[in-house]
Amino acid sequence: MAKFCSNCGAKLDVGAGFCTQCGTKVINLEGNQATNQQTNQQPNQVVYQPPNPIDESKEGHIEIRNFVGENDNIIELDEKGPFKVIQYEKDLSVTPNEAEEKYFSTKMNVRPRQLIADLSKTSGIYLQARAMQWMSGANKLSTGVNGIGDFGKKFLKAAATRESVAKPEYSGDGFVVTEQTYKHLLLLDLNEWDNSITIDDGLFLAAEKSVGLSVQRMSDISSTFAATNLYYTTLNGDGYVCLESNFPMEELIVIEITNDTVTIDGPLAIAWTSSLQFTGERSGKTIVDSILTEGLVNVFRGTGKILMAPLSFKPHAANLETMDKKIKF
């Protein structure tokens, strides 16, 4: 005679001690009758219970598909600390009108790139305003502005360096992904820059919260006639930063100075160790000599490093910001 589970009604195997469907223990009463272990149920009563009830106490999780590691069109260019730079090899969703432009852009290494920040690897990061595209997890977001007085200070810094007034701060255990850009994303370890680096305006994209941001004034007021700016952004501390540059790292020249002097004609230096003395000076001993030679030049003295662009102007680099606004992915 066939036996059935008194809990879910499933057919029981001969000699079974438990129901294979719901796990209820089988107890033999009066020879062949199977009943539930619970004493308050009738022998032939069928009570339905889900075989896998939902555990409401279980923490949530997120699975991201067809992204880094699963998409052959996305490659990892660099990774330092909590930051990872990715690049899209091709635009796979172009219109016929865009196909020619996108094809030759890819051939010339004009590709969209993004920065990914893993917040579980750091106490937090801050980004340039409106740089975030999406994020995962229950991350915390703040403006980094503490009152009206702090806003005023940040406003003056922003006016001097052309950076955003408020730089959103993110913390948590999820991911933050920035907007796509055609510029090149450079990851730097401040430990390799004597824990302080001065950068050209508009280069800052992201940094760990352990890195402080301030404004540095050039050593000499006459420097403003040689350089493009009188004030520059300085990043201090122990951590990693990301710069958004018109030039790739493979094209930039690294100059290391030890108690010496480097003279550069034009605004080719995009970043340098903050301890270097940076001034603008005449290239000759007299005004006439300067006029007949290089005019005013940028001079770096001391010990440190300089990150220098090999070219002062590139048509495609000058148009990258315009392309970011024109071409939407």
Side-chain angles (χ1 to χ4, degrees):
M1 179 178 176
K3 298 180 181 180
F4 298 90
C5 177
S6 62
N7 182 50
C8 67
K11 185 177 179 179
L12 301 174
D13 296 332
V14 178
F18 294 88
C19 174
T20 58
Q21 298 296 319
C22 66
T24 300
K25 185 175 181 181
V26 177
I27 302 177
N28 291 326
L29 297 178
E30 298 178 356
N32 294 328
Q33 186 177 13
T35 186
N36 190 277
Q37 186 180 13
Q38 299 176 353
T39 58
N40 62 344
Q41 293 184 358
Q42 298 298 323
N44 296 326
Q45 183 181 7
V46 178
V47 179
Y48 173 76
Q49 290 183 352
N52 295 305
I54 299 175
D55 185 1
E56 296 182 353
S57 64
K58 185 178 181 180
E59 296 182 358
H61 68 282
I62 298 173
E63 293 185 7
I64 302 173
R65 300 295 185 188
N66 198 35
F67 197 45
V68 180
E70 294 186 2
N71 192 325
D72 294 336
N73 193 45
I74 301 175
I75 65 171
E76 300 179 19
L77 295 182
D78 194 9
E79 182 175 6
K80 284 185 174 67
F83 298 119
K84 179 183 296 183
V85 178
I86 63 172
Q87 175 177 278
Y88 293 79
E89 291 294 273
K90 296 179 181 178
D91 182 3
L92 303 179
S93 56
V94 299
T95 65
N97 294 334
E98 298 173 328
E100 181 178 358
E101 180 181 15
K102 294 293 183 68
Y103 175 80
F104 286 104
S105 293
T106 300
K107 292 296 182 181
M108 295 302 297
N109 197 33
V110 181
R111 296 182 172 96
R113 302 171 182 91
Q114 286 181 299
L115 179 69
I116 302 175
D118 185 349
L119 298 181
S120 66
K121 296 181 178 180
T122 180
S123 61
I125 67 166
Y126 54 96
L127 294 177
Q128 184 71 298
R130 296 178 294 277
M132 190 271 287
Q133 185 187 70
W134 63 278
M135 65 179 179
S136 66
N139 303 321
K140 297 180 181 179
L141 171 63
S142 64
T143 61
V145 177
N146 302 316
I148 299 299
D150 188 42
F151 176 82
K153 294 178 181 178
K154 286 182 168 59
F155 179 82
L156 294 176
K157 292 181 180 178
T161 62
R162 294 194 290 179
E163 304 284 358
S164 61
V165 176
K167 292 178 173 55
E169 298 179 359
Y170 300 85
S171 60
D173 58 1
F175 292 89
V176 177
V177 183
T178 64
E179 294 280 0
Q180 292 182 354
T181 176
Y182 282 92
K183 294 184 178 181
H184 302 274
L185 303 180
L186 314 180
L187 299 183
L188 302 179
D189 182 357
L190 289 188
N191 289 325
E192 300 176 356
W193 291 84
D194 199 22
N195 298 105
S196 183
I197 186 173
T198 301
I199 61 176
D200 200 3
D201 64 312
L203 283 182
F204 176 82
L205 179 61
E208 292 188 85
K209 288 180 67 175
S210 58
V211 176
L213 188 149
S214 60
V215 174
Q216 184 183 56
R217 183 181 179 277
M218 294 186 67
S219 304
D220 195 321
I221 191 65
S222 63
S223 300
T224 188
F225 299 105
T228 56
N229 303 299
L230 184 59
Y231 295 93
Y232 291 88
T233 300
T234 298
L235 301 170
N236 308 283
D238 182 10
Y240 297 91
V241 301
C242 179
L243 307 183
E244 192 174 13
S245 168
N246 288 333
F247 304 91
M249 184 64 77
E250 295 79 6
E251 198 172 48
L252 293 171
I253 300 172
V254 180
I255 304 174
E256 296 190 14
I257 315 171
T258 303
N259 296 324
D260 213 324
T261 302
V262 170
T263 302
I264 301 176
D265 183 19
L268 300 181
I270 68 169
W272 55 91
T273 306
S274 301
S275 58
L276 289 174
Q277 183 185 11
F278 178 29
T279 60
E281 303 174 6
R282 296 195 304 262
S283 58
K285 294 183 178 181
T286 65
I287 297 179
V288 176
D289 290 338
S290 299
I291 294 175
L292 295 177
T293 54
E294 299 296 336
L296 294 174
V297 293
N298 296 322
V299 180
F300 297 85
R301 292 184 176 89
T303 299
K305 293 196 299 185
I306 301 173
L307 202 57
M308 189 182 78
L311 303 173
S312 59
F313 175 80
K314 278 189 170 182
H316 85 272
N319 294 330
L320 286 181
E321 184 176 354
T322 303
M323 290 182 67
D324 283 342
K325 299 178 179 178
K326 177 182 178 182
I327 303 175
K328 299 296 182 180
F329 285 81

